[in-house]
Each structure stands twice: as C-alpha cells, then as structure tokens.
Amino acid sequence: MTDVDAQLDKILNSFDKDGDGNLSWDEVYSRMCQNKNIKNPLAAAKSMFDHYNRDADTGTLSTQEIRDVLQSKKLKDDMKRTEKSLKAKVKGFNKKYDTDKNGVVTFDEMYQLYLKDPDFEEEDDGTSTAEEREQTKCNRAKSSCRYFFNAVDKDRNDKLTYQEIKEYLKKHPEFDLGPSQ
C-alpha cells in the first residue's frame, strides 16, 4: 500500500459513513461538526470541497478526485525534498572545492585538491622515477579536472557557479563529491 493509498483509506474511514467510496457534502459537513477543534465546520467543509472537488460537480468528492489531490501533494512534497537535497549537495560541493570561499569553484581550486588525492598517485613499479610519477599524477589530475569542467562549466570560463553545479547535479544525482582528501 502506497502512502497515497494509506492517506486515502484514512480519509474514507473518517468521512465515508455510507461506505460508497465517495464523500457527500453531508458526510463531510457532519464529520467537521463532530471535530471539537474546528470552530467553523461549514467553512472547513467548504474548504475541503474546494480543495478536492476538481470536477466542480454538485456535492460529491470521488475517490479519484481525492487520490489525484493526494498524489499531487505527494509529488510537490517529493519535489521539495529533492530540491532541498540538491541544495545540500551543491553546498557540500562548494564547501569542499571553493577553497577561497568566493562563491565559485575555479579549475585551479579543484586541480589543487585533486593533486592531494591518493587516487591520483602513481605506484612505484621500479621503472619510473619519482619525477616521472609526479608528472603522471599531475597529468591525471589535470585531465580529470578538465573532463569535469567540460561537462559542467557551460560558459567555459574555468569557474563553476552555483547554478552550473546545481544543473549538473540535477542531471547526475549519482554524482559523488569526488576525490577524498
């Protein structure tokens, strides 16, 4: 049973006294009158009808009308949670990469953090010098940054704005904040 179905059942159990799966004006008004916390049952019943009665028929709320409103509300709630999560992810991204805290992430800021990441270290296999391994590490870090910036930096100015990061993360919810430090 979905959340919407559970809410619908709760509403029907509370209001649908004749068990026909629809809510009449009398059922809604009667239930509002029974609730001691409602000071104006007539206004409360009218408000409920105005909210749920999508086809504006005369005095009946169908199960489908109630379900449609509940699903619409669930969709809006889901969208709010998604937006909140997205904002938190952008904030986390900026906190990690915007090292000078000026509101944009530059290529150099990200590159410097990538250089500190052990994932870019080249293992000593005995065939290359420390200098060659360091150069390989720098090249890999730069290449990874360039790849990311090419995907995110829409105006190609080597600066990632809040909006650019947000748009990218919206399209790529699986995105991880990247290299550890």
Side-chain angles (χ1 to χ4, degrees), residues 65-172:
E65 286 175 310
I66 297 168
R67 181 185 308 281
D68 289 347
V69 171
L70 293 174
Q71 285 175 331
S72 173
K73 182 182 180 323
K74 182 178 180 335
L75 180 62
K76 287 177 187 172
D77 290 346
D78 288 349
M79 288 171 54
K80 284 180 187 175
R81 275 193 297 280
T82 300
E83 184 66 23
K84 188 176 180 180
S85 172
L86 186 59
K87 283 181 182 178
K89 215 169 191 181
V90 173
K91 186 177 179 181
F93 183 93
N94 279 337
K95 183 177 180 181
K96 181 172 185 174
Y97 293 107
D98 183 14
T99 57
D100 65 5
K101 307 297 181 215
N102 69 347
V104 295
V105 176
T106 65
F107 182 88
D108 190 55
E109 285 173 317
M110 185 174 270
Y111 174 66
Q112 292 304 319
L113 287 173
Y114 272 41
L115 286 176
K116 296 176 185 175
D117 190 308
D119 288 343
F120 290 102
E121 296 288 339
E122 192 68 21
E123 293 210 18
D124 185 0
D125 61 3
T127 63
S128 59
T129 66
E131 190 175 286
E132 290 170 328
R133 287 191 303 278
E134 183 65 24
Q135 186 59 48
T136 300
K137 172 184 164 183
C138 291
N139 290 342
R140 289 175 68 200
K142 188 173 279 189
S143 176
S144 290
C145 281
R146 182 54 54 209
Y147 180 82
F148 186 76
F149 267 72
N150 284 342
V152 182
D153 186 16
K154 296 303 178 195
D155 57 7
R156 303 287 185 242
N157 64 355
D158 278 348
K159 295 177 184 174
L160 303 180
T161 64
Y162 178 90
Q163 193 61 37
E164 287 172 324
I165 296 165
K166 181 179 174 183
E167 289 303 314
Y168 180 81
L169 294 176
K170 192 184 292 185
K171 292 176 186 170
H172 302 278

